[in-house]
Amino acid sequence: MTDVGSRPGDSPPGAAPAPAPPIHDHEAGLDQAPRPTVAIPRAAPPSEPASTVVIEDGVIPRRLRRPLDLARFLVALAATAATVLIAYFATGTTEGIEEDITGGAALLPSIVILALNIIGGIGLLGLPIAAAVNLVIRRRVRQLFDALVGLLLTVVVLTLASYLVETYGSAQLVTALAGSVGGDTSVTAPIIGGLVAFITVARLMSRRPWDVLSVLVVGSLAVVALLSATATVAGLLISFFVGWGLGLLTRYAVGTPTTRPSGSEVADALARGGYPLTVLRASRQTPVGRRYVATTRAGESLEVVVLDRDLEGAGLATAAWKALRLRDEAGRGAFNMRRELDHAALMAYAAEAANAPVPRLLMASEVGADSALLAYDYTVGTRFADLDGDQVSDDELEQAWRAMRTLHEHQIAHRSLTADHILRDRDGKVWLVGEASGTVAAGDVAQRIDVAELLCTLALTVGADRAIRTGRTVLGVQGLARALPVLQPVALVPATRKAMRKNRDLMVHLRDALVEIRPDGEVEQINVERIKPRTLIMIVVGTIAAYVLLSQLAQVDLGELLTSASLEWLAVGVVATLVTYVGAAWSLSGFVPERIPLHRTMLAQVAGDFATLVSPPTLGSVAINLRFLTKAGLHPALAGASVGVSQVAAFVVHLLLLLGFGIAAGTQADFTFDPPAWAVIVVIAVVLLFLAAFAVAPLRRYVFGRVRPLLREVIPRLVTVAQRPMKLVEGIGGILVLNFAYIVVLVACVRAFDGDLNVAAIAVVYLAGATIGQAAPTPGGLGAVEAALAAGLTAAGLPGGIAVSAVLLFRLLTFWIPTIPGYISFNWLTKKGYL
């Protein structure tokens, strides 16, 4: 046993226990508010010389909410929605299945049908009554009350759902769920659903013979309902899933009686394993169980981690999100008691075999059927999180680096090297804890992340310079520089990531310092993210936008749309679309003092059309242009400044054009200014929102904070470009050509359907719609651009039918068709190394 001194305040064996001080964690846990301690002496058998004092300290609640119940409720909800959708959109298939099932049931012998009727009739009342008597005998009156609440809630919900569907639902929906409109068949089966909810809350399916009786009764009722045509297959499935779901929700909301073994049972398990105790003191609760500090009769101190089965499913959402987001996430998924026990024991034994400074695992054992325990040496020490930088010596920092190196030499990754998991004992020895979150047979990326994690942790504790100096001493330049490609917030654990966000300059300082000590070449960042949150949001929003657009396109015959359009104006629109790429190329090359080929710049703009198919318009084009300029030989900072100047200039010119065409749209032949009412309202609303936003101090500081760095990069580049007037003319001219060409395309689309509208008004509609499209988070502004342009043309006086047709033709020419050559251009530029 590794005995690391005694903890100040610990009681001697057999003495009255003192309040539990903070201890180290072998797994993530949440400290609970202190509660009055209650000592419960455990009666000792005659062979035992003394009893064990057990102090539970409120770590075992009488009722708890099981995470698995919530996860199953979500499954029931999804199953209900899937059943409704399948029944609605595949009516023929569901009707055929129902006919087959009903026909097969009708072929049953009459004696079987009679038996099913008897079982269902008696069981409908007999099963709940018998279960109620059993719960009362077992002193589970509260659970009986909860089960009755779940039953009543389900019956009310299903009855109300049937009424709403039959009263307000479409004929197709009623037919899908009830088989026909106006028949005797009900949309749902409230009684069966209520019985399922009762069975779920009473937990009958987890006990024999109640599980067999429950299946028999519910199955008999379902068959009888089908034979008597009082419910359909879809209605029965919906009733079952709703009953199951509401039963789980009731169980989660009110909690269920715990099945956790008491502290006395934990002490008995330790005694059977050869560690009889004098004191077992509860320390804290964790998301997956509880933690105790124990003193054996030999005077040894143990830390006991108890894993409870009734918390299985904890962390499911977090595990799913990590698996979706991170490429190299070796997480163990949602909590499972047996899997967690095996993994923690494996990590402890592997670390001990590697001679790593971690507390030794002494015992792993089940505690009854619903819990398991892990007993470790109790290491007394102070967390690095509780120490100031000047309290940690360089030798102790080097010990932390060496401990990690020892693990890595044996292909073990810790995966949670936070300041809470590094301890210093009284003798100055450094220990690692929390190794249960790690992995064996760890790959290169996992070990790199460990180096980055420990570097950030020590830098937060003692500063970047000391952390890098001591890491370099232990690992060498190459070993420490392994952290550079993964030195990014998303690779860190949440605690470290949160601390690094509070010290925003620290990450940059660490990266710069690592680059300085390893100047032998460019280091490409490892992409540890599989999908970014923004990408996920764009996918969801884009899917909704695509659904809206496809719903619109489903009502439009594209063949008729193209054949009914004027071919002359259609040709004008196609030519103007091609001109937009010339303007886009000039608008970029004009703000780049260096020489770049015009034809490749045009191809990059074509490739940008493919990029906008999977990203917002501005984001896609900026990313393509930035990559293109970098590959053309520009320094990344200069490339970013050139793209920034181009975007700022485009924004200014866009506003000036919007103002100019807005004035022109209101100027008639008598040269008096009379703008349309809708234009005035829009301009006033935008100005008021702008002024109101900047009246809020936090928002004003946020905007200025984002704009100042951009201006610091853009202004020097703009000064450089301004010294070459022809470049400035090229850039601004390209922006004007780009905007005028798009205006001509929209004018041609309106004229192609004999639309008669002022050119200036069409220009205002395009410029306003383009602004909305640039701000929309959907790919290519999908949905937002169509809605804005169609509404603008209609408000300007164009008939609604012509407006929709013109907008669809405009988007076809400028968005949908260009994605095909954009894809070809993107692949060619990438293959040639130009992108």
Side-chain angles (χ1 to χ4, degrees):
M1 172 177 174
T2 306
D3 190 1
V4 195
S6 60
R7 171 179 298 280
D10 278 356
S11 304
I23 62 170
H24 69 260
D25 291 336
H26 283 289
E27 56 183 311
L30 299 177
D31 291 342
Q32 303 297 314
R35 299 173 183 172
T37 59
V38 180
I40 307 174
R42 181 174 62 88
S47 59
E48 295 185 8
S51 62
T52 301
V53 177
V54 178
I55 308 172
E56 293 287 7
D57 201 24
V59 297
I60 303 181
R62 297 183 62 183
R63 302 179 70 85
L64 69 141
R65 295 183 174 90
R66 301 173 187 265
L68 204 57
D69 286 345
L70 185 59
R72 288 170 176 167
F73 166 73
L74 297 177
V75 172
L77 198 63
T80 303
T83 303
V84 174
L85 291 175
I86 293 173
Y88 184 81
F89 290 104
T91 306
T93 302
T94 53
E95 287 179 352
I97 294 174
E98 183 176 351
E99 289 177 1
D100 293 340
I101 294 176
T102 305
L107 296 177
L108 293 173
S110 56
I111 185 65
V112 175
I113 296 176
L114 177 62
L116 291 175
N117 276 279
I118 294 174
I119 293 173
I122 295 176
L124 182 61
L125 292 176
L127 181 65
I129 292 174
V133 172
N134 180 264
L135 290 174
V136 171
I137 293 175
R138 295 167 56 212
R139 298 182 180 180
R140 297 290 183 91
V141 178
R142 170 70 182 275
Q143 189 174 3
L144 172 60
F145 175 77
D146 296 339
L148 293 175
V149 170
L151 185 152
L152 180 62
L153 177 64
T154 303
V155 170
V156 171
V157 169
L158 288 176
T159 302
L160 182 62
S162 297
Y163 171 77
L164 293 176
V165 170
E166 292 170 358
T167 305
Y168 303 103
S170 64
Q172 182 178 354
L173 180 61
V174 175
T175 303
L177 301 182
S180 62
V181 179
D184 295 331
T185 304
S186 176
V187 172
T188 62
I191 300 299
I192 295 179
L195 184 59
V196 171
F198 180 90
I199 292 171
T200 302
V201 180
R203 301 181 66 85
L204 299 184
M205 294 301 295
S206 61
R207 298 170 52 234
R208 288 186 178 277
W210 296 99
D211 54 350
V212 177
L213 293 175
S214 300
V215 171
L216 188 60
V217 171
V218 173
S220 300
L221 290 173
V223 173
V224 170
L226 286 175
L227 292 175
S228 60
T230 57
T232 62
V233 173
L236 288 173
L237 287 176
I238 291 172
S239 301
F240 173 81
F241 289 131
V242 169
W244 183 43
L246 290 178
L248 291 168
L249 186 61
T250 302
R251 208 161 75 183
Y252 183 80
V254 302
T256 53
T258 181
T259 58
R260 300 179 184 182
S262 65
S264 298
E265 294 174 271
V266 173
D268 288 338
L270 286 167
R272 288 194 300 270
Y275 294 96
L277 307 180
T278 58
V279 177
L280 179 68
R281 181 175 55 235
S283 171
R284 69 193 68 182
Q285 287 181 312
T286 72
V288 295
R290 47 207 150 116
R291 191 182 308 277
Y292 295 86
V293 176
T295 302
T296 68
R297 292 181 185 167
E300 300 171 330
S301 295
L302 308 179
E303 183 181 12
V304 183
V305 177
V306 178
L307 307 175
D308 292 313
R309 191 183 299 276
D310 55 14
L311 290 175
E312 287 189 346
L316 177 61
T318 302
W321 172 241
K322 286 183 177 180
L324 176 66
R325 187 181 183 187
L326 302 181
R327 295 180 184 274
D328 190 57
E329 174 54 39
R332 302 183 298 281
F335 168 65
N336 176 275
M337 188 194 77
R338 171 52 63 179
R339 185 170 61 237
E340 186 76 16
L341 178 69
D342 293 342
H343 185 80
L346 171 66
M347 288 301 304
Y349 292 140
E352 182 181 355
N355 290 320
V358 299
R360 188 161 59 100
L361 176 64
L362 303 175
M363 174 183 172
S365 172
E366 282 193 344
V367 187
D370 296 309
S371 293
L373 67 82
L374 296 154
Y376 295 87
D377 274 336
Y378 183 42
T379 305
V380 180
T382 305
R383 300 183 182 94
F384 271 30
D386 299 328
L387 297 173
D388 295 329
D390 55 0
Q391 295 177 306
V392 182
S393 67
D394 285 357
D395 177 67
E396 290 162 354
L397 296 176
E398 291 176 5
Q399 286 188 60
W401 284 113
R402 280 194 292 270
M404 183 203 68
R405 185 184 65 185
T406 300
L407 292 175
H408 287 184
E409 288 173 349
H410 293 79
Q411 307 303 310
I412 301 172
H414 190 283
R415 303 306 294 264
S416 185
L417 288 169
T418 65
D420 283 329
H421 289 160
I422 307 174
L423 288 96
R424 182 188 66 190
D425 66 17
R426 283 179 145 185
D427 298 327
K429 183 178 179 179
V430 173
W431 296 77
L432 299 182
V433 297
E435 74 281 354
S437 61
T439 55
V440 296
D444 178 67
V445 175
Q447 294 183 30
R448 286 176 181 267
I449 292 174
D450 261 5
V451 179
E453 185 85 46
L454 185 57
L455 178 62
C456 292
T457 295
L458 297 183
L460 288 166
T461 304
V462 301
D465 294 337
R466 291 182 62 193
I468 291 177
R469 185 174 66 251
T470 54
R472 184 177 180 179
T473 300
V474 176
L475 304 179
V477 172
Q478 295 296 330
L480 184 61
R482 295 176 68 201
L484 189 56
V486 294
L487 198 57
Q488 44 190 301
V490 70
L492 307 176
V493 298
T496 308
R497 183 164 62 244
K498 183 178 179 180
M500 291 296 288
R501 284 175 179 169
K502 296 179 179 178
N503 299 268
R504 295 182 180 274
D505 296 334
L506 184 56
M507 183 74 76
V508 178
H509 187 182
L510 291 174
R511 292 188 64 86
D512 292 343
L514 290 179
V515 170
E516 287 179 5
I517 67 172
R518 188 181 183 274
D520 54 340
E522 181 182 354
V523 179
E524 187 171 351
Q525 181 170 287
I526 295 176
N527 185 13
V528 298
E529 279 188 294
R530 179 179 287 113
I531 185 172
K532 297 182 179 179
R534 175 178 289 184
T535 304
L536 188 62
I537 293 173
M538 287 194 300
I539 291 173
V540 174
V541 176
T543 302
I544 296 174
Y547 174 78
V548 173
L549 180 60
L550 291 176
S551 300
Q552 296 174 352
L553 291 177
Q555 303 174 5
V556 179
D557 189 343
L558 291 179
E560 183 181 353
L561 178 71
L562 294 175
T563 55
S564 61
S566 170
L567 294 180
E568 292 81 2
W569 283 110
L570 188 59
V572 172
V574 171
V575 173
T577 301
L578 297 176
V579 173
T580 60
Y581 297 107
V582 179
W586 284 342
S587 68
L588 177 63
S589 61
F591 296 102
V592 181
E594 295 78 6
R595 179 177 177 79
I596 54 175
L598 181 62
H599 69 284
R600 287 208 295 265
T601 309
M602 290 181 59
L603 288 176
Q605 307 314 304
V606 177
D609 283 337
F610 171 70
T612 57
L613 187 63
V614 292
S615 65
T618 302
L619 184 62
S621 61
V622 167
I624 290 291
N625 288 334
L626 188 60
R627 184 75 172 175
F628 172 72
L629 292 180
T630 304
K631 287 292 186 178
L634 273 71
H635 189 277
L638 295 178
S642 296
V643 174
V645 171
S646 175
Q647 292 295 316
V648 171
F651 177 72
V652 173
V653 172
H654 195 94
L655 287 182
L656 293 175
L657 287 176
L658 183 60
L659 178 62
F661 279 111
I663 295 174
T667 304
Q668 307 300 326
D670 58 358
F671 298 101
T672 60
F673 179 60
D674 184 20
W678 60 271
V680 175
I681 294 173
V682 169
V683 171
I684 292 176
V686 170
V687 172
L688 288 177
L689 286 175
F690 183 80
L691 294 177
F694 273 80
V696 181
L699 181 59
R700 185 171 61 251
R701 287 194 296 269
Y702 172 78
V703 172
F704 286 156
R706 297 298 295 268
V707 170
R708 282 196 194 98
L710 180 63
L711 292 179
R712 280 198 295 266
E713 294 180 2
V714 166
I715 291 177
R717 195 65 168 172
L718 186 59
V719 171
T720 302
V721 174
Q723 295 174 357
R724 303 176 62 180
M726 291 306 298
K727 276 289 185 180
L728 200 59
V729 170
E730 179 184 351
I732 295 177
I735 295 172
L736 291 172
V737 169
L738 178 65
N739 282 282
F740 280 121
Y742 273 122
I743 291 171
V744 171
V745 176
L746 186 56
V747 170
C749 292
V750 172
R751 296 287 189 266
F753 296 99
D754 298 325
D756 185 14
L757 194 62
N758 191 320
V759 173
I762 297 177
V764 171
V765 170
Y766 161 73
L767 294 168
T771 303
I772 295 174
Q774 297 293 329
T778 57
L782 193 63
V785 173
E786 288 82 3
L789 293 179
L793 291 175
T794 304
L798 199 66
I802 295 178
V804 172
S805 299
V807 170
L808 290 177
L809 182 59
F810 174 80
R811 292 290 277 173
L812 191 66
L813 293 176
T814 60
F815 179 68
W816 291 109
I817 293 179
T819 57
I820 300 174
Y823 175 75
I824 298 172
S825 177
F826 183 87
N827 284 333
W828 185 83
L829 290 172
T830 304
K831 183 178 180 181
K832 294 295 182 179
Y834 300 134
L835 199 61

